[in-house]
Amino acid sequence: MKIAFISDIHGNANALDAVLKDIKERAVDKIYCLGDICYRGPEPQRSLDLVRSLQTEVIKGNADEWVIRGVYKGEVPDQALEMMNKEREWICSHLDAEAIDYLQGLPLELKLEVEGVMIHAYHATPESLFEIVLPHESEETLETKMMIEAADVYVYAHIHRPYIRYLNGKCIINIGSVGLPFDGNDKASYALLDIQEGSCQTSIVRVTYDVNLTIQQFSESDYPNRDQLISILKNARI
C-alpha cells in the first residue's frame, strides 16, 4: 500500500495541484494531510477546497490555529507580531464562513496501522503545534520529544525542511512543505511510504511547479506582507 503525507501548503494551491498530480501518477492509495493549509499564501480558499476534496484525514497545524484565533505574543518574534496578524486578517477575509469551523474541528494527531506498520503522525511534536525540532537534533531529543508513543514510523511537518532518520530500529520523517520550502530547494515536498506485509520503504518526493505563477499572484494581490513571501518563494529560505 502506498501512502502519501502532505503538509504546509500555506495557501499555495499551485504547488498543491502539482503534488496531487504527482501522487495520482504514482498510484498512491491514500493521502493524509498534516496541517498548515491556508495561512501565508495567495489562494487560501482554493487550497482548503483541494484538501477537503480528498475526503481524507487531516490534522491541525500551528498556522491553522493562527487562522482560527490569531497570532499571540511569544509565538513569533515581537517585531513580526503585528504584521502576521494583518496577514491572518487577509487570509480570513478570503475564506468562506465554513472554513474557520472546519479548521477549528481538526484533530491534533493520527495513529495508523497499515499492514502491520504502526505510524504516529503529528504537525510539530506530539504535545505541541509550535515546538521546532530540526533535522540535526540529538537522538535524545528525538526520543524524548518525538517518539513518546510506540510506533514504527513517526511522521511530522512544521519545519519545512524534509529529512529521514533512523533511530533504534524506528524511522522518523519530516515531510517538508508543499507550498513554502525553507531548505533552499524551491520544489514542493511530500513523503511517500510504500508498505508491503510489514515492510516499509520511505522516500521524500520533490515536485516541480510554477513558482513564478504563485509569485505573480502575490504581486497582483494586496496581501499585506507580499514582499517577504515573494522573497521566501524565490530563495526557498526564510
Side-chain angles (χ1 to χ4, degrees):
M1 185 173 186
K2 292 183 179 180
I3 300 173
F5 286 92
I6 63 174
S7 189
D8 293 88
I9 298 150
H10 290 286
N12 189 344
N14 299 315
L16 182 56
D17 282 335
V19 164
L20 294 180
K21 180 176 182 290
D22 188 84
I23 287 172
K24 183 177 181 179
E25 290 172 351
R26 294 175 187 268
V28 171
D29 299 292
K30 185 73 174 179
I31 305 172
Y32 296 97
C33 179
L34 305 189
D36 281 10
I37 301 166
C38 306
Y39 182 68
R40 305 206 100 179
E43 292 190 279
Q45 186 67 54
R46 190 162 83 86
S47 297
L48 182 60
D49 290 344
L50 283 169
V51 169
R52 295 188 70 178
S53 73
L54 300 174
Q55 297 183 328
T56 190
E57 293 177 76
V58 181
I59 64 173
K60 185 185 293 183
N62 64 296
D64 305 312
E65 183 70 8
W66 284 339
V67 172
I68 295 162
R69 47 80 161 167
V71 185
Y72 292 169
K73 183 177 176 61
E75 293 176 343
V76 299
D78 287 346
Q79 64 269 24
L81 182 61
E82 182 180 0
M83 178 58 76
M84 291 185 71
N85 273 307
K86 287 181 179 178
E87 292 181 66
R88 181 256 179 182
E89 290 170 4
W90 189 95
I91 296 297
C92 288
S93 73
H94 288 75
L95 293 172
D96 62 32
E98 187 184 1
I100 305 298
D101 289 339
Y102 173 80
L103 295 175
Q104 175 71 59
L106 292 176
L108 300 180
E109 63 181 351
L110 292 172
K111 296 179 180 179
L112 312 169
E113 182 177 358
V114 181
E115 297 191 20
V117 175
M118 301 295 296
I119 302 169
H120 190 196
Y122 36 83
H123 182 72
T125 75
E127 297 181 337
S128 171
L129 291 176
F130 298 92
E131 191 166 4
I132 294 173
V133 177
L134 296 171
H136 59 265
E137 302 284 0
S138 68
E139 292 186 357
E140 180 182 4
T141 296
L142 294 180
E143 287 181 332
T144 57
K145 291 187 176 181
M146 311 298 281
M147 308 170 77
I148 60 177
E149 295 197 25
D152 301 300
V153 182
Y154 300 86
V155 186
Y156 78 112
H158 188 51
I159 61 172
H160 299 215
R161 297 175 177 89
Y163 72 90
I164 300 173
R165 284 179 64 178
Y166 295 90
L167 179 61
N168 297 327
K170 311 293 184 180
C171 180
I172 184 164
I173 306 171
N174 186 280
I175 66 178
S177 172
V178 168
L180 207 61
F182 291 168
D183 64 343
N185 182 341
D186 67 4
K187 295 180 180 179
S189 176
Y190 74 95
L192 185 63
L193 277 62
D194 189 349
I195 301 173
Q196 304 290 337
E197 298 180 353
S199 297
C200 182
Q201 181 177 355
T202 61
S203 57
I204 301 295
V205 182
R206 302 306 290 255
V207 180
T208 299
Y209 77 99
D210 190 349
V211 179
N212 289 325
L213 176 58
T214 303
I215 290 172
Q216 180 182 348
Q217 289 175 323
F218 268 124
S219 297
E220 295 174 352
S221 76
D222 59 352
Y223 190 85
N225 196 20
R226 63 184 184 181
D227 289 344
Q228 182 185 14
L229 271 297
I230 287 170
S231 176
I232 294 172
L233 285 166
K234 284 182 176 178
N235 300 301
R237 294 191 186 279
I238 53 175

